[in-house]
Amino acid sequence: MAEPAVVRVERLHKQYETAAGPVHALNDVTLSIFPGEFVAVMGASGSGKSTFMNILGCLDVQTSGEYFLNGTDVRSLDKDRQAKLRNDVIGFVFQSFNLLSRASLLENVGLPLVYSKIGRAERNERAKRMLDSVGLEKYHRSRPNKISGGQQQRVAIARALVNNPRLILADEPTGNLDTKTSGEIMEIFTGLNQRNGITIVLVTHEEDIALHARRRIRFKDGFLVSDDEPRGKPTGSRQ
Amino acid sequence: MIAAMLSEAWRALGANLMRTVLTMLGMIIGVGAVILMLAIGQGTQFVVNQSIESMGSNLFIVLSGSTTSGGLRMGSGATPTLTLADADAISELNGVAYVAPSAPGVAQLMYGSNNWSTSVLGTTPSIIAVRDWKVVSGYPFGESDVRSATRVALLGRTVVQNLFNQGEYPVGKTIRIRQSPFLVVGVLGPKGQSLDGRDQDDTVLVPVTTAQRKIFGTQFQGAVRYMMVQAVSAAAMPVVEKSMTQLLHQRHHIQEKMDDDFSVRNLTALAETAATATKVMSLMLGAIASISLLVGGIGIMNIMLVSVTERTREIGVRVALGARRRDILAQFLLEAIMLSVIGCLVGVGLGVGGSALVNKLTGMTVVITGDSIVLSFIVAAGVGVFFGWYPANKAASLEPIEALRYE
């Protein structure tokens, strides 16, 4: 593919219509994220970082400007194709874990594979491997409510990884965790980035968490106000 | 994929068992009611149709006229104005297949140590064809028996059962009707109840002449109370009715403005009315029961809407992980269909059991056809799709960012 960047946004605008008039959530944001990068997105609430992440995750569409994910112009796709793209390319990790409470950990991790039409046997096999890799080999059949928050977030990471994504989008993944557990989770992210070369974009408002990333970008009032490495060079080693 | 979705739907329903069961209850009662009502309706229809068939087809009954004595008006057939000669004349008319003049009465029967009171009908061999009787053993009596007023009798099944001991063969035996000896020449096949609930098998057929001269006696020789007339086809009935009336006017010297001394009734038309009435009744029963099915469906829709709202966040997660619109739609639709189909299965059981119970408790004839089960199954699945569609569509149309933010 001629497009080397995993994420490329150009002159991105997002405008919401509210009762009080239009709100400019994103203004003229241009940046690229290359394979192997670990980017922390920072900013106060209302800064536009959530909107930015939603657009990155193909969960929302910009008002104007361009967004290429893995070389694909996201806005040109219909919702089902966007869903397919999310499924193929992105792994999501949420602040509140968002595991399905009725399903076992194995089924939770295998869920993305259900939507990429992978058969039950392979699904379970891959989900098992992922759970083992985050250190939850004893809990395959457990329900999410039987394990701790840190463990739940590890399950969520396993779920994000199960379909071999190019990009992991983590929205405040440590927001609901204590400091020690946060550290463990961040170690997993760092390891994924450095050992496996997975591109990670992580939203946080905690400086110490952001320090795990190699590149930090900051939003304020919808503008991209700072970027450690504007040209975006890969920092991890690609396998 | 399908298996995963099915087990997913199953689990979702199991997660809130009480609610699921209550929702299904609507469906169970609906389907049960439809099956039960159809069974009762079809049972009634079956009974009515059977007695219509047992009556014979394309029938008229021509009754002798009434009489007025001292201001007291007697009913039809009180004066035997119709004669055997009238019967012969009518049988010559175009479109008439058979005429069976009938002189009914009640008499005591005796055989050995048994005795039994029953209706004795003096008639001609035509009655066999007109009423569509089957002679199951022996033979019917013939025209010669009518001409010479022989003492022969055809017995209905009920009479045989009451007069003869079990296993005894009645044909060839001599019974007594009002003391006179009669030779049993044949036994009639069973017909069951008539439309008005009388036992049609509780009867004895004898030659009309024998009945008049040797059992009941008569005011006028050769006069009968009524006759059964069978037209060759349903299409011929209006013509037969008209020509028969004209003929009797002529033969009885009835001028215009004079009252008829006979009346003609179209039995088949009456029977058809009864058949139509039961059909309408069974449709109405089904329709009323269907309303409960509809209510059950609305219950499903209601609970699915609640479920979609409760699981908004789950829907958001699924969409984020790559579920397409149709995946979400299928998931919720499947749940609704599963609700209604399981409800339907239990409902079918309830309906079948209920029908058996009704049959046992009331003796009412119930008929459960495969059709009514298949039909209610299709309707139930349809209800699931129809009432599941709106909630499922609502789920599939959720914006993922809104859904993920939902608390």
Side-chain angles (χ1 to χ4, degrees):
Chain A
M1 201 176 293
E3 180 75 50
V6 180
V7 167
R8 183 159 69 86
V9 297
E10 274 171 27
R11 307 187 64 81
L12 206 61
H13 277 272
K14 180 66 186 182
Q15 183 177 327
Y16 293 110
E17 298 298 332
T18 66
V23 171
H24 297 277
L26 282 180
N27 290 302
D28 201 21
V29 175
T30 299
L31 68 87
S32 291
I33 297 169
F34 289 92
E37 280 199 275
F38 190 166
V39 183
V41 180
M42 307 199 59
S45 58
S47 63
K49 65 180 195 297
S50 292
T51 305
F52 179 69
M53 284 298 272
N54 285 337
I55 293 174
L56 243 50
C58 310
L59 297 170
D60 203 354
V61 178
Q62 68 272 27
T63 312
S64 70
E66 306 289 337
Y67 170 33
F68 293 92
L69 172 61
N70 214 16
T72 310
D73 180 3
V74 173
R75 202 163 51 166
S76 70
L77 303 178
D78 61 22
K79 290 205 164 187
D80 283 353
R81 295 230 167 89
Q82 287 179 12
K84 174 100 172 66
L85 190 65
R86 276 200 294 277
N87 188 260
D88 289 342
V89 179
I90 304 175
F92 285 93
V93 179
F94 304 95
Q95 178 175 1
S96 49
F97 323 135
N98 281 337
L99 301 176
L100 303 188
S101 55
R102 288 188 310 273
S104 70
L105 299 190
L106 201 62
E107 286 165 319
N108 264 294
V109 173
L111 191 59
L113 301 179
V114 170
Y115 296 119
S116 46
K117 311 256 183 286
I118 284 168
R120 187 187 177 81
E122 189 189 340
R123 205 162 66 221
N124 283 344
E125 181 50 43
R126 281 168 67 175
K128 244 177 227 161
R129 236 186 299 139
M130 282 302 148
L131 272 178
D132 295 352
S133 75
V134 294
L136 287 166
E137 46 279 283
K138 285 180 198 154
Y139 299 95
H140 290 170
R141 298 284 161 201
S142 308
R143 309 279 145 181
N145 57 0
K146 301 283 181 222
I147 59 175
S148 71
Q151 286 171 320
Q152 287 190 46
Q153 196 59 300
R154 284 199 239 167
V155 175
I157 292 170
R159 180 177 67 185
L161 291 172
V162 76
N163 213 10
N164 302 318
R166 294 205 69 193
L167 174 65
I168 285 194
L169 294 179
D171 191 0
E172 307 245 14
T174 58
N176 284 358
L177 301 174
D178 59 48
T179 315
K180 180 170 170 284
T181 321
S182 295
E184 287 166 14
I185 294 295
M186 288 318 294
E187 266 171 42
I188 295 178
F189 279 121
T190 311
L192 286 171
N193 176 247
Q194 290 185 345
R195 279 192 299 280
N196 304 3
I198 295 174
T199 315
I200 296 173
V201 179
L202 178 143
V203 172
T204 184
H205 58 265
E206 294 171 75
E207 294 291 343
D208 54 332
I209 295 293
L211 285 174
H212 287 86
R214 295 299 171 85
R215 175 182 175 193
R216 278 159 294 275
I217 61 177
R218 255 170 239 277
F219 282 91
K220 192 177 181 188
D221 300 331
F223 291 95
L224 182 62
V225 290
S226 82
D227 189 342
D228 292 354
E229 222 169 314
R231 287 180 304 157
K233 292 228 176 77
T235 50
S237 59
R238 277 285 277 159
Q239 278 186 340
Chain B
M1 185 78 180
I2 294 290
M5 286 174 70
L6 278 174
S7 73
E8 178 64 40
W10 179 254
R11 186 158 53 200
L13 294 181
N16 213 327
L17 199 60
M18 187 66 179
R19 194 164 82 186
T20 300
V21 168
L22 285 175
T23 310
M24 271 183 194
L25 201 58
M27 215 57 209
I28 292 170
I29 293 173
V31 172
V34 168
I35 298 260
L36 181 65
M37 291 301 136
L38 284 180
I40 292 176
Q42 285 179 329
T44 314
Q45 248 179 304
F46 175 77
V47 170
V48 167
N49 288 342
Q50 212 181 31
S51 43
I52 287 171
E53 268 169 39
S54 72
M55 193 178 72
S57 51
N58 309 327
L59 280 190
F60 289 105
I61 183 162
V62 185
L63 290 154
S64 285
S66 64
T67 178
T68 307
S69 95
L72 200 65
R73 299 185 68 208
M74 307 300 280
S76 285
T79 322
T81 51
L82 296 170
T83 62
L84 293 175
D86 286 337
D88 288 338
I90 288 172
S91 66
E92 300 294 320
L93 288 172
N94 270 341
V96 174
Y98 294 102
V99 179
S102 304
V106 175
Q108 200 73 20
L109 271 54
M110 293 206 309
Y111 176 76
S113 57
N114 299 328
N115 71 96
W116 182 248
S117 174
T118 186
S119 71
V120 174
L121 184 65
T123 185
T124 63
S126 308
I127 196 74
I128 304 288
V130 169
R131 292 292 316 278
D132 196 23
W133 281 108
K134 307 272 181 291
V135 179
V136 290
S137 57
Y139 298 94
F141 53 79
E143 290 295 343
S144 60
D145 295 308
V146 176
R147 274 195 299 277
S148 48
T150 353
R151 286 195 174 95
V152 288
L154 279 165
L155 306 186
R157 191 183 54 166
T158 309
V159 175
V160 172
Q161 282 165 353
N162 284 287
L163 219 48
F164 291 88
N165 298 322
Q166 207 157 15
E168 212 168 347
Y169 189 64
V171 177
K173 301 286 187 321
T174 302
I175 61 168
R176 287 177 179 276
I177 303 177
R178 286 203 180 160
Q179 308 303 337
S180 324
F182 275 77
L183 178 69
V184 177
V185 292
V187 175
L188 298 166
K191 263 186 186 297
Q193 284 194 345
S194 67
L195 271 180
D196 54 6
R198 278 178 303 117
D199 179 5
Q200 299 182 90
D201 299 322
D202 191 4
T203 191
V204 173
L205 303 182
V206 298
V208 60
T209 44
T210 318
Q212 290 180 330
R213 292 176 207 162
K214 293 166 182 171
I215 306 175
F216 303 121
T218 178
Q219 289 163 281
F220 312 104
Q221 199 60 266
V224 290
R225 291 269 290 279
Y226 65 91
M227 41 199 181
M228 310 280 281
V229 178
Q230 186 172 39
V232 287
S233 67
M237 291 194 77
V239 181
V240 168
E241 182 166 6
K242 205 170 163 201
S243 54
M244 198 158 57
T245 311
Q246 272 175 356
L247 180 76
L248 288 174
H249 280 161
Q250 216 174 19
R251 289 181 60 86
H252 293 191
H253 309 291
I254 293 166
Q255 311 290 321
E256 270 182 62
K257 292 184 185 167
M258 275 172 73
D259 284 342
D260 285 352
D261 63 354
F262 64 92
S263 52
V264 175
R265 290 182 197 165
N266 184 334
L267 284 186
T268 305
L270 286 175
E272 272 164 11
T273 311
T276 312
T278 43
K279 195 167 185 175
V280 168
M281 184 199 80
S282 102
L283 275 177
M284 294 248 299
L285 284 177
I288 291 168
S290 306
I291 291 174
S292 56
L293 201 60
L294 191 75
V295 174
I298 292 170
I300 288 181
M301 175 141 93
N302 190 14
I303 224 63
M304 288 308 295
L305 280 172
V306 171
S307 174
V308 168
T309 307
E310 278 181 354
R311 286 151 71 190
T312 300
R313 214 188 164 88
E314 174 193 326
I315 295 163
V317 173
R318 286 174 181 275
V319 171
L321 296 184
R324 292 160 305 171
R325 216 186 106 81
R326 59 173 169 271
D327 294 324
I328 301 292
L329 191 74
Q331 183 191 342
F332 282 90
L333 212 48
L334 200 68
E335 250 180 73
I337 293 172
M338 201 178 255
L339 259 179
S340 64
V341 166
I342 294 175
C344 177
L345 278 175
V346 180
V348 166
L350 191 77
V352 171
S355 305
L357 199 69
V358 164
N359 176 258
K360 198 161 182 155
L361 292 183
T362 67
M364 207 183 276
T365 309
V366 292
V367 176
I368 294 174
T369 57
D371 285 0
S372 65
I373 292 175
V374 170
L375 187 77
S376 47
F377 218 85
I378 292 171
V379 169
V383 162
V385 174
F386 184 80
F387 289 104
W389 188 267
Y390 176 70
N393 195 48
K394 195 179 162 197
S397 311
L398 284 174
E399 283 298 329
I401 36 172
E402 302 292 330
L404 276 171
R405 217 178 284 154
Y406 187 85
E407 292 296 335

